[in-house]
Amino acid sequence: MERFFQTYKSESHHKHSYVNLAELEKELEQYIVDYNTCRLHSSLGYIPPLDMLNGNQEKIFSERRQKLSAAL
């Protein structure tokens, strides 16, 4: 959790000023969704946590290898 909030602060929170707590909560909820579904995590091989949880990592890695082979 500490790492999550450190990342949140550096990527999002410090770039905005909030009028009230509800506005901050809305921003944080959206950040959590993006963090888990879109943001690439280096510790997971640059895939989102949801893809790891759903077991999609091998499919993603295979597609990457195919694209790399095609590019060479």
Side-chain angles (χ1 to χ4, degrees), residues 10-60:
S10 69
E11 290 184 358
S12 185
H13 177 69
H14 290 300
K15 297 176 184 170
H16 303 283
S17 58
Y18 303 97
V19 176
N20 55 40
L21 184 59
E23 192 177 304
L24 173 62
E25 288 174 344
K26 182 179 177 184
E27 158 82 22
L28 184 57
E29 286 174 11
Q30 183 58 50
Y31 183 80
I32 291 170
V33 170
D34 291 343
Y35 186 87
N36 289 318
T37 60
C38 300
R39 187 177 183 276
L40 304 179
H41 294 250
S42 61
S43 63
L44 301 177
Y46 295 97
I47 62 173
L50 187 61
D51 282 326
M52 179 65 81
L53 182 66
N54 290 334
N56 297 333
Q57 64 271 23
E58 279 308 315
K59 178 184 175 199
I60 293 169

Side-chain angles (χ1 to χ4, degrees), residues 65-72:
R65 284 189 295 271
Q66 289 174 359
K67 288 178 183 179
L68 181 58
S69 294
L72 298 175

